């Protein structure tokens, strides 16, 4: 019998997602009414809760899916089920400790890692255990890996490295040199995102190859070309986040050059669009398939946005505005979350082949989700344009006046945030119920 | 169909070596602008900036949260400056929480923002957009 460990990861991933959205909605309300609740739950308290929870959603869901694919679908014997369990327990305890530290304001860390830095140690141990288990398992079972195995391995290795890099500031060698420290901080957060993207995009290729029953998508030379392109961007492209920070100019030249290689990705998406959509066998996986279609659309929109503002001349105006937030919401929700939902539906089908996921409310939720997300990002985009106009064109008026003039966009951002919440909960509820059923003792 | 992994392993090895060298250079080169190392007082200010999560609302060089204004040059702004910063800290204006910093802590935060200010300018209006899409910024040392 298979271990329940992957299911535990998935169940806690969904819990993190729902909690994270609740924190996010409460926090975003402060954009609408800045003084509301601020004595009890200031924005600065809610934001780390929100960011950590939604990142935990992506990471736990990706980890759980990978463990699931390896053990349930590919039927590999895990190198060590005990290490797998330990990995889960360490993450669960550390997550609890992080929530505790946020509640009682032990937040000496930095953006995205606000918790006390020593909590990084168990997180790193968790990743190392995952790495050992992953490479040992595949080493015993596979020769000639399809591209997704490379991507997952890369994701695990780089995740471990960049989580460490995000804490280099603890050393005076970095900390005392503000510009170096600051750019290494944003290097690490950029590449941290790149590392989980390796895990999640690997999952999307895995799903495509399974849903289409076509292994070629994951073994052909083109797939590997894009893997290497992505890896090069992960390593050297981060500095497009810091074009306006006075780092050595060559770092930024390199990042500009590397970032522009993503045009190839865009060209290939457009070129392959029809072909990839038509070949799918969707009968068995209607919802997994729909979510991957949504991924396609969001990749397309986001890559155009990302390419444009990786050009320094455009970045100059968009940097430091909500346009950046529109992009990060578009990618984490539009791309990462749709892929992970596709994975969840695929997993449910694997666990319960008879269970029909193609239900009326699930489909409605799916449509409402995409519409809400579009309007959510559009509100942020509009707010960003307005802020940029204030920063670079009119340059007059106090910050508070500018903020007040944007309230209308914040209201719509808040409302469509609720829309995303309701629609995702509608979609995820049946999945969650079925996963819980598997955790019952004796099942 | 199994994949022949050898060429891919070489490609990874090559990328990793390049990445290692690249990181080494990024971590060890001096900043573009020669500025003094953070003083112990500024380090204390940075710690306060972190433990009170100022970054969740404020940006430095446009990086951070967007609920409050960017603080890169609040120190040298003619209309703002050290007294203005101190006045804001315990004011609890708008969404900003009501902090209770003592004089020493306020000084530390000001010392930090002063040293951040010395590193450069943001938003930098002295910018020339070039035909290649590059933006040439005028820095403090030019």
């Amino acid at each position: 019998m298979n271990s329940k460990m992957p299911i535990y990861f998935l169940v806690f991933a969904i819990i993190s997602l729902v909690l994270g959205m609740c924190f996010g909605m409460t926090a975003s309300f402060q954009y609408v009414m800045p003084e509301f609740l601020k004595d009890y739950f200031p924005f600065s308290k809610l934001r780390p809760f929100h960011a950590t929870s939604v990142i935990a959603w992506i990471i736990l869901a990706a980890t759980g899916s990978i463990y699931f694919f390896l053990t349930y679908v590919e039927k590999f014997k895990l190198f060590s089920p005990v290490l797998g369990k330990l990995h889960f327990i360490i993450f669960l305890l550390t997550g609890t400790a992080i929530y505790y530290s946020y509640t009682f304001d032990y937040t000496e860390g930095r953006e995205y890692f606000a918790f006390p830095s020593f909590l990084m140690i168990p997180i790193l141990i968790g990743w190392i255990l995952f790495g050992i288990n992953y490479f040992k398992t595949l080493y015993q079972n596979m020769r000639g890996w399809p591209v997704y195995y490379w991507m997952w391995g890369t994701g695990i290795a780089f995740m471990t490295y960049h989580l460490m890099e995000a804490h280099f500031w603890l050393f005076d060698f970095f900390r005392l040199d503000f510009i170096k420290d600051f750019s290494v901080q944003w290097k690490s957060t950029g590449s941290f995102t790149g590392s989980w993207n390796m895990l999640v995009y690997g999952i999307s290729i895995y799903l495509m190859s399974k849903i289409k029953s076509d292994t070629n998508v994951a073994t052909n030379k083109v797939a590997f070309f894009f893997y290497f392109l992505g890896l090069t961007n992960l390593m050297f492209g981060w500095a497009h986040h810091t074009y306006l920070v006075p780092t050595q100019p060559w770092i930024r030249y390199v990042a500009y050059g590397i970032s522009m290689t993503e045009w190839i990705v865009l060209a290939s998406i457009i070129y392959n669009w029809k072909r990839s959509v038509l070949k799918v066998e969707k009968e068995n996986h209607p919802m997994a398939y729909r979510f991957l279609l949504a991924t396609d659309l969001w990749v397309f929109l986001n890559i155009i946005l990302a390419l444009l503002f990786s050009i320094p001349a455009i970045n100059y105006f968009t940097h430091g505005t909500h346009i950046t937030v529109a992009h990060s919401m578009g990618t984490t929700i539009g791309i990462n979350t749709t892929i992970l939902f596709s994975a969840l539906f695929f997993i449910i089908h694997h666990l319960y082949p008879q269970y029909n996921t193609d239900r009326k409310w699930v489909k409605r939720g799916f449509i409402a989700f995409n519409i809400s997300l579009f309007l959510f990002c559009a509100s942020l985009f509009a707010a960003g344009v307005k802020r940029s106009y204030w920063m670079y064109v009119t340059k007059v008026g106090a910050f508070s006046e500018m903020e007040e003039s944007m309230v209308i966009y914040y209201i719509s951002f808040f409302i469509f945030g609720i829309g995303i919440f309701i629609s995702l909960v509608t979609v995820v509820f049946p999945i969650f119920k079925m996963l819980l059923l598997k955790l019952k003792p004796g099942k | 169909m199994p994949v022949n992994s050898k060429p891919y392993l070489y490609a990874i090895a090559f990328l990793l070596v390049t990445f290692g060298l690249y990181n080494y250079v990024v971590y060890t080169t001096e900043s573009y602008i020669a500025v003094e190392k953070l003083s112990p007082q500024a380090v204390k200010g940075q710690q306060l900036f972190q433990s009170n999560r100022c970054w969740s609302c404020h940006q430095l060089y446009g990086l951070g949260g967007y609920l409050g204004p960017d603080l890169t040059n609040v120190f040298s702004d003619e209309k703002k400056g050290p007294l203005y910063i101190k006045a804001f800290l315990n004011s609890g204006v708008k969404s900003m929480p009501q902090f209770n910093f003592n004089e020493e802590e306020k000084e530390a935060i000001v010392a930090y923002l002063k040293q951040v200010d010395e590193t450069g300018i943001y938003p930098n209006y002295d910018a020339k957009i070039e035909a290649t899409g590059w933006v040439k910024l005028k820095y403090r040392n030019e």
Side-chain angles (χ1 to χ4, degrees), chain A residues 300-406:
Chain A
F300 184 71
L301 291 177
N302 275 293
I303 202 162
I304 292 179
L305 196 59
L307 273 166
L308 289 178
F309 63 57
S310 294
I311 299 173
I314 296 176
N315 182 276
Y316 178 73
F317 297 102
T318 59
H319 180 82
T321 72
H322 308 68
I323 296 176
T324 319
V325 193
H327 170 65
S328 60
M329 296 298 120
T331 48
T332 51
I333 310 175
I335 304 177
N336 292 320
T337 299
T338 52
I339 293 173
L340 294 168
F341 266 74
S342 178
L344 286 176
F345 277 108
F346 179 86
I347 288 169
I348 286 295
H349 179 76
H350 193 90
L351 292 173
Y352 304 95
Q354 305 306 328
Y355 183 77
N356 176 22
T357 52
D358 199 11
R359 296 157 174 240
K360 191 164 83 187
W361 279 100
V362 172
K363 275 191 281 191
R364 284 185 183 166
F366 170 77
I367 292 168
F369 161 73
N370 283 292
I371 296 174
S372 305
L373 179 58
F374 184 81
L375 295 169
F376 179 80
C377 291
S379 317
L380 283 167
F381 192 88
V385 170
K386 196 138 187 192
R387 183 171 173 129
S388 178
Y389 196 75
W390 172 77
M391 275 167 72
Y392 292 102
V393 185
T394 60
K395 300 182 201 167
V396 291
F399 178 81
S400 53
E401 291 166 22
M402 184 271 298
E403 282 290 297
E404 271 155 34
S405 74
M406 306 222 293

Side-chain angles (χ1 to χ4, degrees), chain B residues 92-106:
Chain B
V93 67
K94 297 270 175 186
S95 55
M96 185 154 151
Q98 169 98 51
F99 294 108
N100 275 313
F101 294 120
N102 60 33
E103 194 52 32
E104 197 193 326
E105 290 168 328
K106 287 190 203 168

Side-chain angles (χ1 to χ4, degrees), chain B:
Chain B
M1 183 186 64
V3 179
N4 175 11
S5 300
K6 270 250 171 68
Y8 299 138
L9 280 174
Y10 290 130
I12 296 239
F14 170 76
L15 277 176
L16 281 178
V17 170
T18 318
F19 186 57
L21 291 172
Y22 170 86
N23 278 341
Y24 178 78
V25 180
V26 169
Y27 298 157
T28 54
T29 37
E30 294 295 309
S31 347
Y32 189 53
I33 314 286
V35 282
E36 280 179 36
K37 300 234 176 288
L38 289 193
S39 68
Q41 193 189 20
V43 169
K44 174 134 195 287
Q46 186 181 51
Q47 280 162 351
L48 291 168
F49 200 84
Q50 287 176 206
S51 56
N52 292 287
R53 287 148 292 160
C54 310
W55 47 262
S56 64
C57 301
H58 291 290
Q59 311 105 70
L60 296 173
Y61 285 102
L63 293 159
Y66 295 135
L67 197 54
D70 189 284
L71 298 180
T72 316
N73 299 123
V74 62
F75 182 85
S76 63
D77 188 316
E78 286 153 19
K79 295 193 277 318
K80 297 174 182 172
L83 290 176
Y84 177 92
I85 297 174
K86 284 194 198 170
F88 254 98
L89 288 180
N90 292 350
S91 66
V93 67
K94 297 270 175 186
S95 55
M96 185 154 151
Q98 169 98 51
F99 294 108
N100 275 313
F101 294 120
N102 60 33
E103 194 52 32
E104 197 193 326
E105 290 168 328
K106 287 190 203 168
E107 288 287 349
I109 291 175
V110 169
Y112 173 58
L113 291 176
K114 171 169 183 285
Q115 288 206 277
V116 170
D117 183 284
E118 283 163 2
T119 62
I121 303 158
Y122 180 85
N124 191 332
Y125 298 120
D126 218 330
K128 225 175 69 218
I129 294 176
E130 295 174 354
T132 53
W134 190 255
V135 177
K136 182 98 192 65
L137 296 175
K138 196 158 155 31
Y139 291 113
R140 286 234 195 268
N141 61 345
E142 285 165 351

